Amino acid sequence: MKKLNKILSATTLALALAAGVSSAHADISTSGNFNADGYAVLGFNTVGGVVDIQFGGGYGDATFSLFNAAGAHLVSNDDSNGSLNPRLTQFLSAGNYSLLVSYCCQSIYGYAQNNGGSFTNTDGYNSGSYVLGGSGTLAGMEAYLDAQNSYSADSASYRLTITNATPGTAIPEPASLALAALGLAGLGITRRKRA
């Protein structure tokens, strides 16, 4: 009987662990519209592993750009797997990431490649037009796109899925961080002691 209880306990533990792991590996399905400058920024978290980002519809020639928690550019994609739709598949460490969804081709060639990113025809999983690394940042790409003519991509829709991820907060742009710092500093200055 003791042996049977040990087997049942081990099986129960294995099932509980499997259930816990599978719930941590969620998927995100989302949709929205580009802002007036022709892009949207989405934040997500992952527990680590392969993360797959697929465009599901909307603007006819979209792009993806992925940034880490520090705002550094990791990879951008224009066309993938023989279509005009972007797709990124990456092995990512656990953490927070930001995805900039935009229109062809300002973000990938106008910004990512011009900031030292290297062009390649694969992200390691898919084929297409990819730019890896470089010195670009999320704030820099947003500023670059803000200054461009969005070619009527403003308010265009997008639909996408991100596997092995949960919704997160996009990395704030420097202006928001500066305003928050001023607000906190202001709280410290205006506070008075009661007698």
Side-chain angles (χ1 to χ4, degrees):
M1 190 68 167
K2 279 186 173 182
K3 190 173 185 178
L4 180 60
N5 284 341
K6 283 184 178 181
I7 291 171
L8 289 174
S9 294
T11 303
T12 303
L13 177 61
L15 290 172
L17 288 173
V21 168
S22 65
S23 66
H25 296 283
D27 294 342
I28 300 170
S29 291
T30 189
S31 61
N33 293 82
F34 294 161
N35 65 17
D37 295 310
Y39 66 90
V41 180
L42 311 166
F44 68 90
N45 297 303
T46 181
V47 295
V50 176
V51 174
D52 186 49
I53 307 167
Q54 291 190 55
F55 193 75
Y59 186 76
D61 195 3
T63 63
F64 286 158
S65 294
L66 183 64
F67 301 85
N68 68 15
H73 177 258
L74 299 176
V75 58
S76 289
N77 173 238
D78 178 14
D79 304 332
S80 68
N81 301 325
S83 79
L84 295 177
N85 295 328
R87 182 173 184 180
L88 283 176
T89 308
Q90 294 286 285
F91 186 90
L92 300 175
S93 299
N96 184 41
Y97 294 85
S98 291
L99 176 72
L100 186 142
V101 185
S102 188
Y103 63 95
C104 181
C105 293
Q106 295 294 335
S107 57
I108 183 170
Y109 302 118
Y111 183 79
Q113 194 169 29
N114 288 341
N115 279 277
S118 57
F119 180 81
T120 183
N121 62 3
T122 183
D123 63 356
Y125 296 85
N126 306 293
S127 62
S129 300
Y130 294 87
V131 175
L132 305 173
S135 61
T137 64
L138 175 58
M141 186 176 283
E142 287 177 304
Y144 178 83
L145 292 171
D146 290 345
Q148 302 301 307
N149 176 349
S150 66
Y151 305 109
S152 300
D154 57 316
S155 299
S157 66
Y158 65 86
R159 192 172 66 252
L160 59 91
T161 59
I162 306 174
T163 62
N164 189 22
T166 56
T169 304
I171 302 156
E173 73 280 1
S176 293
L177 291 174
L179 289 173
L182 287 173
L184 292 174
L187 288 174
I189 293 170
T190 58
R191 186 175 271 181
R192 294 182 183 187
K193 291 184 181 179
R194 290 186 172 183

